[in-house]
Amino acid sequence: MGSKIKPALLIMAAGMGSRYGGLKQLETLGPGGATLLDFSLYDAIRAGFGKIVFIIRRDIEDDFKKIVGKKWESRIPVRYVFQELGMVPEGFRISPARQKPWGTGHAIWVAQGAIQEPFAVINADDFYGRESFRVLAKFLKGIKDPEKPEFSMVGFILKKTLSEHGSVSRGVCQKSPQGFLRKVEERMQIGKNGFKYFYLDAQGRKHSLKGTETVSMNMWGFTPVLFDELGRRFKAFLKEKGQEEKSEFLIPRVVDELVHEKKARVKVLRSKDQWFGVTYPQDKDQVREKLTRLIAQKRYPGNLGG
């Protein structure tokens, strides 16, 4: 028997969208002015999540609450957490040149005061699908001991997560025969040429990929014990890279370290759903078509934007 506590859903919505050039998390892409996030919230509530925690920036608070938050506050308990550059452990000083946020690991760390139960983490600007939320909620509800580092991630097939309009970065995963995560390797500049898939390394050299690899799209399941590990590792990150302008403290790297050090087990869950999102502005039309089709198929109500 797992816990009767409903899991929380932590949504990372503070990102800048550097390649996109705007606030992807507030882009209305579905019929009736729905955002991608509205689809995720609908799926999450149906899957049995009991609380939503939005991680946002103060400068988008009013717009975010107007476009997304207010619609859902009457349907499920909602909390807001602010991720700001100055939120660092005591004793650390930030370079005045730094403008970029600290990354996904930092986003989760600043939310620790809002979460006491097993929780999922997703990006605000990705479409994950109903099945993805269902398998993740089932895992989290089945956790017997929230004090143990029994984590999970929903894995997607690499070739189903690419953009036709440019390269992408993905965490490529290696699994054990039992379905547990062995390694996450962040691959930058992944693309395809015809039916061939590849990535470029830091020196610009091309390496081939099969396209069938399991990748992380930042859809994770955690217990609250993660927060202490994040705190320790964020301090170590700041000591080493805190004065750099663009280095980021990323959650796939933290998970990879925990697995490597045998401090956590991560079950790789599979979803049949197709991920999609807007990495580039040119992706928008395709995403709109897919969302319209899903509504026409009666998989979602047409009033998610209202």
Side-chain angles (χ1 to χ4, degrees):
M1 281 288 289
S3 165
K4 293 198 173 144
I5 299 168
K6 286 187 171 185
L9 178 63
L10 185 61
I11 299 174
M12 298 186 290
M16 298 283 201
S18 55
R19 279 179 296 193
Y20 185 70
L23 290 174
K24 287 195 287 182
Q25 57 271 49
L26 298 181
E27 186 86 53
T28 53
L29 295 163
T35 64
L36 280 177
L37 189 44
D38 289 321
F39 288 84
S40 288
L41 289 163
Y42 179 80
D43 284 334
I45 291 169
R46 290 190 63 178
F49 285 89
K51 177 173 80 181
I52 305 295
V53 180
F54 292 117
I55 305 168
I56 59 174
R57 300 193 314 274
R58 289 221 177 254
D59 62 307
I60 67 168
E61 178 183 4
D62 292 344
D63 285 341
F64 189 90
K65 286 181 175 176
K66 187 169 71 177
I67 295 169
V68 177
K70 291 278 191 283
K71 280 187 281 197
W72 297 97
E73 286 169 4
S74 61
R75 306 186 210 186
I76 188 168
V78 169
R79 294 272 307 266
Y80 296 93
V81 171
F82 298 99
Q83 182 189 13
E84 302 293 343
L85 204 51
M87 291 177 172
V88 294
E90 211 173 322
F92 286 94
R93 301 235 306 266
I94 300 162
S95 164
R98 177 92 194 189
Q99 292 183 320
K100 195 175 174 66
W102 294 108
T104 52
H106 178 249
I108 298 167
W109 178 70
V110 300
Q112 60 190 297
I115 291 178
Q116 295 77 41
E117 60 271 82
F119 65 103
V121 174
I122 63 167
N123 294 332
D125 50 9
D126 289 351
F127 178 93
Y128 294 102
R130 181 188 304 175
E131 174 77 359
S132 306
F133 284 97
R134 191 190 67 76
V135 297
L136 189 48
K138 184 180 177 185
F139 175 89
L140 292 167
K141 288 176 191 171
I143 288 172
K144 296 181 178 66
D145 184 358
E147 298 299 312
K148 282 190 173 174
E150 293 287 331
F151 302 156
S152 61
M153 61 159 274
V154 179
F156 294 84
I157 296 167
L158 172 63
K159 64 185 176 185
K160 292 185 175 181
T161 71
L162 302 181
S163 168
E164 291 178 15
H165 303 290
S167 64
V168 299
S169 299
R170 299 284 179 256
V172 178
C173 304
Q174 292 177 19
K175 295 181 292 182
S176 72
Q178 294 77 33
F180 288 95
L181 189 65
R182 276 186 173 157
K183 191 173 183 55
V184 187
E185 292 178 299
E186 196 70 20
R187 297 297 188 207
M188 317 300 276
Q189 297 191 64
I190 297 175
K192 74 176 208 174
N193 188 354
F195 293 102
K196 293 189 175 175
Y197 302 88
F198 63 89
Y199 72 91
L200 303 181
D201 64 23
Q203 286 73 42
R205 291 175 301 218
K206 191 182 276 192
H207 302 263
S208 64
L209 291 162
K210 293 177 184 171
T212 54
E213 290 87 350
T214 297
V215 295
S216 162
M217 300 305 300
N218 268 346
M219 190 175 203
W220 301 96
F222 295 118
T223 56
V225 295
L226 175 71
F227 294 121
D228 284 343
E229 287 290 352
L230 284 172
R232 276 194 289 275
R233 289 162 199 273
F234 187 43
K235 285 179 183 175
F237 167 87
L238 289 172
K239 279 178 187 168
E240 187 188 342
K241 301 185 177 219
Q243 295 307 305
E244 295 177 9
E245 284 184 46
K246 295 189 175 177
S247 289
E248 289 184 272
F249 180 61
L250 300 173
I251 193 63
R253 204 166 297 152
V254 171
V255 171
D256 187 53
E257 287 174 6
L258 290 170
V259 168
H260 181 71
E261 294 165 21
K262 296 189 167 41
K263 289 188 175 173
R265 285 203 318 169
V266 182
K267 184 73 174 173
V268 180
L269 309 171
R270 291 303 294 270
S271 167
K272 295 174 192 154
D273 288 326
Q274 169 138 14
W275 171 95
F276 56 86
V278 276
T279 306
Y280 298 92
Q282 300 95 313
D283 294 323
K284 282 194 285 190
D285 289 344
Q286 212 169 23
V287 168
R288 284 195 179 107
E289 282 172 27
K290 288 176 179 174
L291 295 175
T292 301
R293 202 176 308 132
L294 287 168
I295 288 171
Q297 292 166 354
K298 302 280 195 286
R299 290 184 63 180
Y300 293 92
N303 62 350
L304 283 178

